[in-house]
Amino acid sequence: MSEIRTVAFHTLGCKLNFSETSSLSRMLEAEGFQKREFDDLADVYVINSCSVTENADKECRQLVRRIQHKSPESFVVITGCYAQLKPKEISEIPGVDLVLGAAEKFNFTKHIKELTKGDPAKICSCDIGDISDFHSSYSINDRTRSFLKVQDGCDYNCSFCTIPLARGKSRSDSINKAVKNAEHLSSQGIKEIVLTGVNLGDFGKSASVEKNENFFELIKELDNVQGIQRYRISSIEPNLLTNPIIEFVAQSKKFLPHFHIPLQSGSNRILGLMRRRYQRELFADRIHSIKTLMPHCAIGVDVIVGFPSESNEDFKETYDFLHSLDISYLHVFTYSERDHTHALSIGPSVPMSVRYERNKTLRNLSYMKMQYFTQQHEGQTRKVLFEAHHKISSLPGGGMMEGYTDNYIKISTPFRKDWVNQIVNWKI
């Protein structure tokens, strides 16, 4: 490797991955690496992978091929969930030099120094059951909002999910450390923090924390951090979204009226097969509680279509249930077979064409939900944090900038430099 080393990162998947990539980037820059954009030439390319769906695996392989074509002498390092789940498979992709599992991603610099281009790919991994450490992470400088990781891993056993196999058991930061990270982000000019984790509502489990802590106590402490003006909760399981949490967010001036709650199916039969820890009646109750206290609150919902044995009646039940709920948008996932999951033993399989059609139907419903939610707020003045601009050559002044209201309505306006990272009163 040349004396002046350069590194480029690409992140696949969730906000948690983005927070960890940002932390890895800062760690390497402290070791003397110079950061480059992923499309530029670099000595080392790092792909922080996802493995929630087959598409995520496929995208990772495509990225490696792109690097090989562009810069065949560069080192290629794969980390993240795909790297933990299928290290041997990744090591056999032409061009891959190093595969770092969940326990080794934060020992990056030690491993990269030992590489020689042309040697067989090196795998550094361990059994996921041996992982108990929690590594604090947060994003900064990548975008206006910061993703703050406060929890990792999951003790649930949903039949479709590989995340516990990729990230291990549930574990958390301490409240004290999370608050210190938030204070540091505040000192760097960050105004909005998005709390991230695999199972956020399960916050509090950690071998390093002597007393019992929980998510409700965490958000109460974060609410007191000076300088941070906005917090969002990235995603929280409906059975862990308690009334005290909802009531606290309703009265907080910093925690925004915006929840993202995974449902996965509106059919209780399918929820049972998925091994989810609630039924649709509890989910409906949570939506009702939120909207009673915060009629203006945005609510996003995760849903999976095409789970094994999902019949037309099951899907109609899901569609009708979602249609009836006072929610704002959907994140729709097409079921993807994952190795070592219980769902593989459930049948019959739903044809891919049917899965795609159901996905399209729910995405159309999501569009209508968001249109209706936005129309409900027309004429209101809400606070928008403007984040970035997109250069469009046909427009004078450098293009457009975007931001989100407190309740997650996307706003676009011609770029103004003095509005970047500023909270502006905006009439919708």
Side-chain angles (χ1 to χ4, degrees), residues 257 291 295-299 326-329 368-378 405 407-409:
K291 284 296 188 173
H296 55 293
C297 185
I299 302 176
D326 190 2
I327 57 177
S328 311
Y329 63 92
M368 290 188 290
K369 287 282 189 182
M370 196 65 209
Q371 290 291 103
Y372 178 69
F373 181 71
T374 303
Q375 289 168 6
Q376 286 180 303
H377 295 84
E378 284 183 3
T405 64
N407 60 342
Y408 210 59
I409 295 172

Side-chain angles (χ1 to χ4, degrees), residues 382-425:
R382 305 204 72 89
K383 294 185 181 298
V384 178
L385 174 63
F386 282 104
E387 299 187 22
H389 72 284
H390 303 279
K391 294 180 180 178
I392 304 174
S393 58
S394 61
L395 292 176
M400 304 292 287
M401 67 192 313
E402 294 180 344
Y404 286 89
T405 64
D406 55 343
N407 60 342
Y408 210 59
I409 295 172
K410 188 176 182 179
I411 303 296
S412 298
T413 189
F415 178 70
R416 286 181 53 170
K417 187 176 181 180
D418 58 323
W419 278 6
V420 174
N421 197 32
Q422 297 301 312
I423 296 174
V424 178
N425 287 323

Side-chain angles (χ1 to χ4, degrees), residues 299-301 303 319 322-323 327-332 358-376 378 410:
I299 302 176
V301 176
V303 61
Y319 182 92
L322 289 167
H323 192 278
I327 57 177
S328 311
Y329 63 92
L330 304 172
H331 283 176
V332 187
R358 290 174 182 174
N359 183 300
K360 181 180 178 181
T361 299
L362 288 189
R363 281 189 286 113
N364 287 338
L365 176 62
S366 176
Y367 175 80
M368 290 188 290
K369 287 282 189 182
M370 196 65 209
Q371 290 291 103
Y372 178 69
F373 181 71
T374 303
Q375 289 168 6
Q376 286 180 303
E378 284 183 3
K410 188 176 182 179

Side-chain angles (χ1 to χ4, degrees), residues 37-88:
E37 294 298 318
F38 196 76
D39 290 334
D40 296 337
L41 291 177
D43 297 318
V44 182
Y45 291 90
V46 183
I47 301 172
N48 194 359
S49 66
C50 172
S51 196
V52 171
T53 67
E54 176 61 31
N55 282 341
D57 294 356
K58 183 179 178 182
E59 189 174 358
C60 182
R61 295 190 292 269
Q62 289 172 340
L63 287 167
V64 174
R65 286 196 291 270
R66 270 176 51 194
I67 297 167
Q68 278 292 93
H69 179 73
K70 174 176 62 178
S71 184
E73 296 305 312
S74 298
F75 291 89
V76 177
V77 182
I78 313 294
T79 188
C81 292
Y82 186 24
Q84 176 64 36
L85 289 171
K86 297 186 176 181
K88 187 173 187 304

Side-chain angles (χ1 to χ4, degrees), residues 127-142:
D127 188 278
I128 197 66
D130 296 335
I131 298 174
S132 59
D133 292 341
F134 179 86
H135 292 274
S136 296
S137 298
Y138 55 81
S139 63
I140 194 166
N141 299 326
D142 303 302

Side-chain angles (χ1 to χ4, degrees), residues 210-251:
E210 294 180 4
K211 63 175 183 176
N212 290 328
E213 297 181 341
N214 59 51
F215 187 69
F216 182 45
E217 292 169 344
L218 171 69
I219 62 177
K220 286 193 295 184
E221 290 299 319
L222 289 173
D223 207 46
N224 296 322
V225 174
Q226 296 298 309
I228 300 299
Q229 297 183 39
R230 296 159 54 127
Y231 291 98
R232 291 188 196 273
I233 300 170
S234 62
S235 180
I236 185 166
E237 292 285 313
N239 52 301
L240 299 175
L241 179 56
T242 62
N243 283 328
I245 293 173
I246 295 170
E247 290 162 5
F248 179 81
V249 171
Q251 59 83 37

